Amino acid sequence: GENVEQHPSTLSVQEGDSAVIKCTYSDSASNYFPWYKQELGKGPQLIIDIRSNVGEKKDQRIAVTLNKTAKHFSLHITETQPEDSAVYFCAATVSGSARQLTFGSGTQLTVLP
Amino acid sequence: EAQVTQNPRYLITVTGKKLTVTCSQNMNHEYMSWYRQDPGLGLRQIYYSMNVEVTDKGDVPEGYKVSRKEKRNFPLILESPSPNQTSLYFCASSPRTGTGDINYGYTFGSGTRLTVV
């Protein structure tokens, strides 16, 4: 089955700096890669996703890049703000097959004021 | 308000005492799923349901049961809880796509923190 590894487990950045979280996956058939943000005391929420037919996707201050050859994908947050502090999860699956999502282990991002 | 509601939010119980964590969604979603979240292990799927009366095992189903008698409800049952089931549990739901596949933009509940002593 799919295995998703996520690094780092914790990340602290100064407000205004950029943050990068990286994930690798094992199943070359995986073609859908979502990112979830979990704020304290809440359930995870989808913030951005990317499909294997594109290499990069942006939404305001967040972007995701995908390298299918190397089987890794990354979340980039620019101009970080205190409200970006949360746990971030990457995930992977084969879309269109009713396969379940496989999540990474999570990254605790802390944005220091 | 569209939401997934889990109850209770916090639960402390003793080993072997049967318990049920309820999950209800008001969005008419076909797909529902249970996850447990443990430090360093991320979200691991326990069971999922593609529709009423259709359930299947996830990655860590041992010690858990589920049922899906109605579309809106998907309770998680621990027949004989053990300390290794101490965890943070999340229920999630989502609609099926037009082709019948899962829409991965899940709506998660707020979580149930379970402690088994």
Side-chain angles (χ1 to χ4, degrees), chain B residues 19-40:
Chain B
L19 67 91
T20 299
V21 183
T22 64
C23 174
S24 180
Q25 49 95 3
N26 62 0
M27 298 164 283
N28 202 36
H29 286 170
E30 292 86 1
Y31 177 85
M32 297 186 75
S33 181
W34 276 103
Y35 290 87
R36 59 178 290 173
Q37 182 178 357
D38 301 290

Side-chain angles (χ1 to χ4, degrees), chain A residues 32 34 36 38 41-46 51 87 89 93-106, chain B residues 9 31 33 35 37-38 40-45 48 50 59 88 90 101-102 104-111:
Chain A
Y32 177 72
Y36 284 80
Q38 183 183 18
K42 297 183 179 180
Q45 184 176 15
L46 178 69
R51 298 186 183 274
V87 177
F89 292 99
T93 191
V94 180
S95 179
S97 65
R99 279 259 296 267
Q100 304 302 300
L101 277 177
T102 299
F103 285 89
S105 54
Chain B
R9 288 294 306 274
Y31 177 85
S33 181
Y35 290 87
Q37 182 178 357
D38 301 290
L41 297 177
L43 292 160
R44 294 182 293 166
Q45 191 177 46
Y48 64 96
M50 299 293 276
D59 297 320
L88 178 60
F90 286 101
D101 193 22
I102 303 166
Y104 296 106
Y106 297 163
T107 300
F108 280 87
S110 297

Side-chain angles (χ1 to χ4, degrees), chain A residues 32-36 45-50 57-59 62-64 75:
Chain A
Y32 177 72
F33 308 92
W35 285 88
Y36 284 80
Q45 184 176 15
L46 178 69
I47 55 171
I48 195 168
D49 56 16
I50 191 168
K57 184 177 179 180
K58 289 183 179 179
D59 183 3
I62 61 173
V64 56
L75 178 71

Side-chain angles (χ1 to χ4, degrees), chain B residues 53-92:
Chain B
E53 301 290 3
V54 181
T55 63
D56 210 343
K57 297 178 181 178
D59 297 320
V60 288
E62 295 78 19
Y64 304 94
K65 285 175 57 177
V66 293
S67 68
R68 187 90 183 275
K69 294 184 171 58
E70 308 164 278
K71 200 171 190 178
R72 63 184 293 126
N73 296 323
F74 191 44
L76 180 69
I77 303 157
L78 285 71
E79 295 270 4
S80 182
S82 63
N84 65 11
Q85 293 178 298
T86 292
S87 186
L88 178 60
Y89 291 87
F90 286 101
C91 180

Side-chain angles (χ1 to χ4, degrees), chain B residues 89-100:
Chain B
Y89 291 87
F90 286 101
C91 180
S93 76
S94 102
R96 302 284 289 273
T97 68
T99 58

Side-chain angles (χ1 to χ4, degrees), chain A residues 11 14 22 37 42 49 53 60 64-65 68 100:
Chain A
L11 178 60
Q14 290 293 139
K22 299 181 179 180
K37 175 184 181 181
K42 297 183 179 180
D49 56 16
N53 57 346
Q60 299 182 4
V64 56
T65 59
K68 280 205 69 180
Q100 304 302 300

